[in-house]
Amino acid sequence: MKKAILFCAALLAFTPAAHAADHYPYTDENCGVTTVYEKAPEHAVTLSNNATEMLLALGLEDRMAGTSYMANLKISPQYEEAYNKVPILSPLVATTEQLIDAEADFVYAGYPDGFSESRHTRDQLHDLGMKTRLNTEGCNLGKYGFDELYAEIRSVAGIFGVPERGEALIGDIEARVAAVEERLDGVDPVPVFIFNGGEDTPRAVLGNTMLSHVVNRAGGRNILGDVDNRYGSTSWEQLVEQAPHYIVVFYSGTASGQVVEDPDTNLGEARVEILESNPIIAGVPAVEEDNYVLVPSVIGQPGPSSADALEKLARAFHPEAFAE
């Protein structure tokens, strides 16, 4: 608690007036798009829950004109007070019209869903005078882990002219990661399947994701972590062959493009029921032993709450390492 209080105090100390005079123009290189900022954005809108938490973790709620795509998921408790100060434009991805109405000058997406031909491309938003950024995991440039997350934090903090806040946030996450790794020193990794839904064909979270990295750092081993992609499919027979000891159940707040009323129950727990009712995998160790860990996208996507996911998974995989 003392650490959190000190961290918040540090954020408050870095006001816009304290920005270095020579910080701007600031050039952001992001997923093949170069953007020059002459000043900090003043009407930012986020298009995903992890993008929302990133700006809130940097103490930028006063620069936010709106959030979107939280559906019925809950913001992490440490950001709830700040989140309640920002307008919610939509439970789904904010539309172009909503971005215009909010007078957005910066649009930030934590994953590619935010920018698409069916909604609005980055070029289309740029033509409307809105600068954009996509978390680099969404570019699928290869493996993504805490080092890439720290680079993302530095880039966003740079855009807003608050590099000190970025370093403070990174320091906080690094300390939490180090504390987990100290607990896990010497443990043997357990095989883990990251399940992303599907009945006939199981969908999987693959190697080029923050969640796969977090599973590995938490003392697990993503059985499909060597697949060079973000998401894909596998087979029930492959699960039998790979014999995971734990299954991480990953879910967002939507299904088929619609908001789900209670994602934890209607997606998370419903996916556990799919696994439990499948006779093909009845003998898989994770299923036999009810070793399921539910991970909503709020902590499963790359963002400041990736540290929460790390702690949750490490405690699940290796409870003996956290016994008092």
Side-chain angles (χ1 to χ4, degrees):
M1 179 64 72
K2 183 176 180 182
K3 181 191 292 183
I5 293 172
L6 291 174
F7 178 59
C8 292
L11 289 184
L12 292 174
F14 300 122
T15 63
H19 294 171
D22 59 354
H23 182 82
Y24 295 100
Y26 178 83
T27 301
D28 181 47
E29 301 284 353
N30 171 236
C31 299
V33 177
T34 301
T35 308
V36 178
Y37 293 81
E38 300 295 339
K39 62 178 183 176
E42 297 179 353
H43 296 94
V45 174
T46 52
L47 303 183
S48 61
N49 44 51
N50 59 331
T52 297
E53 290 203 344
M54 179 71 81
L55 296 194
L56 297 178
L58 290 169
L60 296 168
E61 59 270 18
D62 61 331
R63 298 300 186 93
M64 297 174 68
T67 69
S68 65
Y69 210 11
M70 182 62 75
N72 281 321
L73 292 170
K74 293 181 174 60
I75 198 83
S76 297
Q78 61 268 38
Y79 307 123
E80 185 175 3
E81 183 177 353
Y83 179 69
N84 290 336
K85 297 177 182 177
V86 183
I88 299 173
L89 303 185
S90 173
L92 296 171
V93 174
T95 65
T96 307
E97 292 74 18
Q98 288 169 326
L99 295 175
I100 293 171
D101 289 344
E103 299 181 351
D105 58 2
F106 175 71
V107 183
Y108 182 33
Y111 34 96
D113 295 19
F115 304 122
S116 66
E117 295 290 344
S118 62
R119 293 189 174 99
H120 35 239
T121 65
R122 296 183 70 177
D123 283 343
Q124 288 169 337
L125 295 181
H126 295 168
D127 289 343
L128 292 170
M130 305 176 198
K131 294 178 169 61
T132 64
R133 182 171 173 87
L134 171 64
N135 187 298
T136 54
E137 190 206 74
C139 309
N140 198 25
L141 300 174
K143 302 298 183 184
Y144 191 106
F146 280 104
D147 286 344
E148 288 73 22
L149 175 61
Y150 301 151
E152 182 73 16
I153 292 170
R154 289 189 173 101
S155 292
V156 176
I159 288 168
F160 284 87
V162 289
E164 302 91 341
R165 298 188 193 185
E167 295 308 316
L169 178 58
I170 291 168
D172 180 67
I173 296 172
E174 285 179 327
R176 295 173 65 184
V177 172
V180 169
E181 290 187 329
E182 183 177 0
R183 292 273 192 169
L184 297 180
D185 184 39
V187 303
D188 293 324
V190 295
V192 177
F193 173 56
I194 311 176
F195 181 48
N196 194 27
E199 296 191 44
D200 296 332
T201 301
R203 299 188 299 272
V205 177
L206 305 176
N208 291 1
T209 59
M210 184 67 183
L211 185 52
S212 179
H213 176 82
V214 168
V215 162
N216 294 340
R217 294 289 286 271
R221 176 182 60 80
N222 180 4
I223 61 173
L224 296 173
D226 59 345
V227 181
D228 192 25
N229 211 329
R230 296 175 67 233
Y231 302 100
S233 299
T234 183
S235 67
W236 298 119
E237 289 76 15
Q238 187 170 6
L239 258 68
V240 174
E241 181 181 342
Q242 296 276 8
H245 288 197
Y246 284 84
I247 296 178
V248 171
V249 179
F250 180 62
Y251 57 98
S252 66
T254 62
S256 301
Q258 301 299 314
V259 175
V260 173
E261 182 177 356
D262 182 354
D264 295 336
T265 300
N266 298 329
L267 287 177
E269 293 178 12
R271 288 180 178 177
V272 172
E273 291 177 4
I274 289 172
L275 297 166
E276 290 282 337
S277 63
N278 189 327
I280 298 175
I281 59 172
V284 168
V287 177
E288 282 193 319
E289 299 170 17
D290 294 325
N291 284 341
Y292 308 107
V293 190
L294 271 60
V295 174
S297 60
V298 174
I299 67 172
Q301 295 283 356
S305 290
S306 293
D308 296 317
L310 175 68
E311 291 166 350
K312 179 175 184 175
L313 292 174
R315 288 178 178 276
F317 300 160
H318 300 283
E320 73 286 349
F322 294 86
E324 297 300 336

